[in-house]
Amino acid sequence: MDNERYLTFALGKGRLAKKTMETFEKIGITCEEMKDSKTRKLIFVNEDLKIKIFLAKGPDVPTYVEYGAADIGIVGEDTILEEGRNIYEVLDLGYGKCRMCVCGPKESKELLEHQQLIRVATKYPRIAKNYFYDKKHQTVEIIKLNGSIELAPIVGLSEVIVDIVETGSTLKENGLEVLEEVCPLSARMVVNQVSMKMDYERITKLIADLKGALAINE
Ligand code: PRP
């Protein structure tokens, strides 16, 4: 045990990290320091378990994992699809469920049906491009934004948006609706390709424990 190296986890900040830590607790992976909501610490260590856990911006998680700065990442599938990194996706955790959708005012529905050259605002240009160009064969202008995407059709920046819909309340409160569904999404566990080989036993046990705790039958 003494020579065992640390297994490092990168968790996407926010709701997903909270749910992930709750799940980790069920399988005996705990980190007391992380429970202090006021802490500004970025990395947490459990010496007994030989693990390190850090919180990062969601879109950066696949980057840390690809470069081996983290062995394991827990992040939304939206981020994995958008980043297109060289990593192993090993488990659908089943939580963090939401949908990637094309949304807008209902008048924009017609523009989608008639293959018009429209403007699409999104935080996910790669997903939007794949959807419109490869799946729908519709030429569109994609405008990259960094947040509050629902503003774009309201202020006339774009006709539609491609964004995550969870409860649908942001759309509803802003007079927008789902026009088309791109794909369902959930939280995923990703692993660095070298770590998977070096720590095969620890990582496969972790996957099995998580499946048990989350009642995943695959
Ligand atoms: C996400 C997403 C939507 C909203 C959807 O935004 O971009 O705006 O949540 O959730 P709902 O369907 O439950 O209303 P987030 O809170 O991540 O902030 P952002 O505006 O910075 O993207």
Side-chain angles (χ1 to χ4, degrees), residues 15 123-124 146-150 163-171:
R15 277 173 282 186
K123 223 169 18 176
Y124 302 94
N146 295 297
S148 302
I149 314 300
E150 289 83 357
D163 199 19
I164 287 174
V165 179
E166 192 180 349
T167 60
S169 39
T170 312
L171 290 178

Side-chain angles (χ1 to χ4, degrees), residues 90-178:
V90 296
L91 185 63
D92 178 353
L93 294 154
Y95 53 81
K97 277 199 163 72
C98 50
R99 301 182 292 157
M100 185 66 71
C101 297
V102 181
C103 312
K106 70 169 179 302
E107 308 80 67
S108 288
K109 188 148 186 78
E110 212 177 317
L111 304 173
L112 294 169
E113 281 156 10
H114 295 106
Q115 301 269 311
Q116 303 249 354
L117 176 60
I118 51 170
R119 285 180 296 186
V120 180
T122 187
K123 223 169 18 176
Y124 302 94
R126 185 185 179 119
I127 295 175
K129 187 169 175 282
N130 281 346
Y131 180 71
F132 280 102
Y133 283 71
D134 302 340
K135 200 163 167 200
K136 291 197 68 183
H137 305 292
Q138 180 172 2
T139 304
V140 295
E141 184 181 343
I142 293 168
I143 302 171
K144 166 85 171 29
L145 289 179
N146 295 297
S148 302
I149 314 300
E150 289 83 357
L151 261 178
I154 300 172
V155 298
L157 177 65
S158 70
E159 282 74 31
V160 298
I161 60 173
V162 167
D163 199 19
I164 287 174
V165 179
E166 192 180 349
T167 60
S169 39
T170 312
L171 290 178
K172 204 166 163 217
E173 286 184 31
N174 291 288
L176 306 172
E177 55 187 64
V178 171

Side-chain angles (χ1 to χ4, degrees), residues 5 71 88 191-203:
R5 69 180 197 101
D71 301 291
Y88 290 139
V191 179
N192 171 270
Q193 297 186 346
V194 177
S195 306
M196 193 68 202
K197 292 187 184 78
M198 279 173 57
D199 273 302
Y200 183 77
E201 274 171 36
R202 272 179 100 186
I203 294 171

